[in-house]
Amino acid sequence: MPKLTSLLLLLTTVTITLVSGYTVIVPRDEAQEFPGGPGFWPEPDRYNTYPDVNWNRTYGAFEPQQVHLSIGDDSKFARVEFATLSSAQQSVFKYWPKKQEYAIKNIQPETWEFEDGGEAHRTIALYRAKTKNLRKGTIYCYQVGAYDDQKLVWSWSAVYEFHTGSKRNEFSFLAIGDIGLNNAVALPQLIELSKTHKYDFLTISGDQAYNMDDFNGIKGDQYMNLMQEVWARVPYLGVPGNHEGAYNYTHYKNRFKNVPFEDSNFENSLMYSINYKSLHLISFSTEVYFDGTDDMIQTAINWLDADLTEANKHRKERPWIVLITHHPVYCSAPDTEDCTTNAQNLRDGKVNDATGERWGGLEPVLLKHKVDLYITGHVHNYERTLPVAHGKVAGNGAFHNAASYVEVINGNAGPPEATVMFNTTGPYEDWSAVRYDSYGYSSVRVSPCFLELTHHQVHLDGSLGNVVDRFTLTKD
């Protein structure tokens, strides 16, 4: 009977680790009833009240907010995007090298109104501007402004800094997944890291805000302002998750219109890629497998196959290929179809009702093009595989000249309903190398000779903990 009781608890409840540090067990149907979860207003906590975080204040009608950057190949250019509550007739993006304040360039942004799909049809004004060609290894300052034609004055953002890639072969970037307005445990660390000029960009493997469309899009505004202190300094290269899916992903498509999708031959910001020194990085939306048509799945796979085909023509120059996405193709979290049915449908493809055969699977494409690393989120913990293919460890698990890709799940930056605990008794598949069910973020170092990922623990008080995992891929 004790074993049966334990199984019943596992199936019907969720273990919640609160901000206070206490752990509670609640019914699964109440698990979302925490501040900042889908359909719930956020509340101030120890993470979202970190100094200079301005998500919970009133902005003026023409006051720039939600400032964030993205970049193109080798950071040869950057794009800034920002918002105002009312549409300004005049706006500007100005930037200059930090050591040459006199060399200011002024760019007039493209502007459009974005209408939320809710009953209120609430609108905000969005602005996007692209730099001219940027110098390598340079710190730039920038500021955005909008003209208030009622008060006849300009409203300005703060002055932010960002840097372009150095002339060295080696570089580093940050990688996280699954973060909201409440319980964003890793946020204080990310804010401080964004000020160091040590990281060239930041990837997010989906699920942000929980959800951007809540309350006629007001929650989306709040979240974008929460993350402004990170993304205004470290360029954003993320991917959508299921929590961005409302109204055909219109919040994501509009709020992140500055990612380089147009340079990647895709129609919107759901998918794109960049070349960065020795890395080819792909942002691929797995959401199409769960809410798209068969034609949409085939279009996505065709785009990915073409992108990877081109990337492999330049493998000597850029030996590493990393794909970021939201859903895992392998995972070990208990009691979830995400690690069973959903993972198999994504990995091996959907079943054709007429023939019984699977088609459109992601893993055959990853293996065909020798993708090195698959970074994903969705499951709210950290798990890292050995090189894996067809459900088995590939090439004896060796990291030198790995026989297949390694998958990393890092959906533990700060989801509002806490992290997902692993079954303490197992058993686990041989491909599952490391499992960690608290909070953290990843950093990645890349050079022509190696790719090293480190996952860092973040304590519930927001302080940095120990290294949870570190592995290094190498090639001849």
Side-chain angles (χ1 to χ4, degrees):
M1 286 298 292
K3 289 185 178 179
L4 184 60
T5 302
S6 297
L7 178 61
L8 185 62
L9 279 170
L10 182 65
L11 293 174
T12 61
T13 64
V14 176
T15 301
I16 303 292
T17 304
L18 300 175
V19 171
S20 62
Y22 292 102
T23 298
V24 297
I25 297 176
V26 300
R28 283 192 177 275
D29 59 2
E30 298 177 10
Q32 292 293 340
E33 297 184 14
F34 286 85
F40 291 86
W41 285 103
E43 297 178 3
D45 65 18
R46 69 171 67 186
Y47 316 113
N48 64 29
T49 55
Y50 197 74
D52 299 323
V53 175
N54 290 312
W55 68 274
N56 194 23
R57 75 166 178 87
T58 301
Y59 283 82
F62 298 96
E63 183 182 3
Q65 56 173 294
Q66 305 174 45
V67 181
H68 55 290
L69 286 170
S70 191
I71 53 172
D73 287 356
D74 290 315
S75 62
K76 292 176 181 176
F77 65 85
R79 283 193 182 97
V80 66
E81 187 169 348
F82 65 99
T84 59
L85 297 177
S86 297
S87 184
Q89 297 301 309
Q90 299 181 64
S91 58
V92 69
F93 163 49
K94 60 180 184 180
Y95 67 98
W96 60 95
K98 186 176 182 179
K99 294 182 179 180
Q100 294 176 296
E101 294 186 14
Y102 57 86
I104 295 176
K105 287 185 172 62
N106 293 291
I107 306 292
Q108 183 176 349
E110 167 196 1
T111 183
W112 69 100
E113 286 195 349
F114 167 57
E115 181 180 303
D116 172 70
E119 291 183 1
H121 298 286
R122 178 176 172 269
T123 62
I124 58 172
L126 294 172
Y127 308 80
R128 181 180 75 156
K130 180 181 175 180
T131 66
K132 305 295 184 182
N133 286 342
L134 300 172
R135 304 175 193 165
K136 287 186 178 181
T138 302
I139 296 175
Y140 284 88
C141 300
Y142 75 97
Q143 191 175 31
V144 296
Y147 187 68
D148 185 338
D149 56 7
Q150 298 172 6
K151 298 180 180 179
L152 305 181
V153 295
W154 282 88
S155 293
W156 294 98
S157 71
V159 174
Y160 293 103
E161 293 182 0
F162 72 97
H163 70 270
T164 54
S166 71
K167 297 178 182 179
R168 299 175 60 232
N169 288 331
E170 185 180 322
F171 72 97
S172 297
F173 68 93
L174 297 168
I176 65 169
D178 301 77
I179 188 168
L181 276 148
N182 276 110
N183 201 41
V185 177
L187 181 62
Q189 292 297 321
L190 297 173
I191 290 173
E192 293 307 314
L193 291 170
S194 73
K195 301 174 184 177
T196 64
H197 291 295
K198 292 181 179 179
Y199 301 94
D200 289 10
F201 52 85
L202 178 146
T203 69
I204 296 187
S205 292
D207 276 6
Q208 305 179 59
Y210 297 87
N211 295 330
M212 290 184 184
D213 61 293
D214 279 352
F215 314 113
N216 300 300
I218 292 174
K219 199 175 191 181
D221 294 353
Q222 292 174 323
Y223 173 77
M224 298 300 290
N225 283 320
L226 175 83
M227 298 301 292
Q228 179 174 253
E229 291 304 306
V230 178
W231 296 337
R233 298 185 178 98
V234 178
Y236 171 93
L237 292 172
V239 66
N242 52 291
H243 282 279
E244 288 80 79
Y247 314 123
N248 193 26
Y249 298 87
T250 53
H251 275 269
Y252 192 89
K253 290 174 183 176
N254 282 273
R255 294 180 185 273
F256 295 103
K257 201 173 178 180
N258 60 334
V259 297
F261 67 92
E262 293 151 317
D263 311 294
S264 308
N265 299 314
F266 202 75
E267 62 181 350
N268 56 54
S269 56
L270 300 184
M271 302 191 199
Y272 57 91
S273 66
I274 70 164
N275 297 314
Y276 200 90
K277 297 189 179 184
S278 55
L279 170 68
H280 183 70
L281 178 75
I282 305 159
S283 174
F284 180 83
S285 175
T286 45
E287 300 316 299
V288 68
Y289 282 83
F290 302 97
D291 57 22
T293 64
D294 287 356
D295 285 345
M296 292 168 66
I297 294 172
Q298 194 61 60
T299 296
I301 285 292
N302 289 347
W303 174 83
L304 179 61
D305 186 69
D307 184 271
L308 286 168
T309 297
E310 182 62 28
N312 271 298
K313 294 177 183 177
H314 309 278
R315 209 61 188 260
K316 288 185 178 180
E317 180 185 356
R318 288 181 291 274
W320 302 107
I321 296 179
V322 174
L323 186 145
I324 58 171
T325 193
H326 184 56
H327 283 268
V329 289
Y330 295 96
C331 57
S332 304
D335 186 34
T336 172
E337 63 182 4
D338 289 317
C339 296
T340 53
T341 305
N342 290 348
Q344 184 178 19
N345 287 340
L346 178 60
R347 182 177 65 243
D348 300 329
K350 296 174 63 178
V351 176
N352 184 307
D353 292 334
T355 66
E357 296 179 352
R358 290 186 178 271
W359 67 276
L362 196 52
E363 186 170 73
V365 182
L366 303 178
L367 297 177
K368 172 185 174 183
H369 295 288
K370 302 185 186 308
V371 170
D372 298 292
L373 180 61
Y374 182 98
I375 303 178
T376 181
H378 190 62
V379 181
H380 297 164
N381 52 36
Y382 175 85
E383 184 171 15
R384 190 257 297 168
T385 71
L386 295 170
V388 60
H390 309 300
K392 298 180 180 179
V393 175
N396 297 320
F399 288 131
H400 180 64
N401 294 332
S404 186
Y405 62 95
V406 173
E407 181 192 78
V408 168
I409 300 170
N410 62 356
N412 62 341
E417 70 275 21
T419 55
V420 173
M421 303 297 172
F422 286 103
N423 180 347
T424 57
T425 59
Y428 291 102
E429 299 289 344
D430 290 344
W431 46 256
S432 179
V434 178
R435 296 170 298 278
Y436 165 72
D437 49 22
S438 192
Y439 299 92
Y441 68 90
S442 300
S443 60
V444 185
R445 284 200 306 145
V446 186
S447 83
C449 301
F450 68 83
L451 187 153
E452 177 191 80
L453 186 144
T454 303
H455 194 69
H456 308 267
Q457 176 190 33
V458 179
H459 295 300
L460 284 173
D461 64 2
S463 64
L464 185 63
N466 298 321
V467 169
V468 173
D469 183 31
R470 177 177 287 137
F471 69 95
T472 304
L473 298 173
T474 55
K475 295 184 180 185
D476 288 335

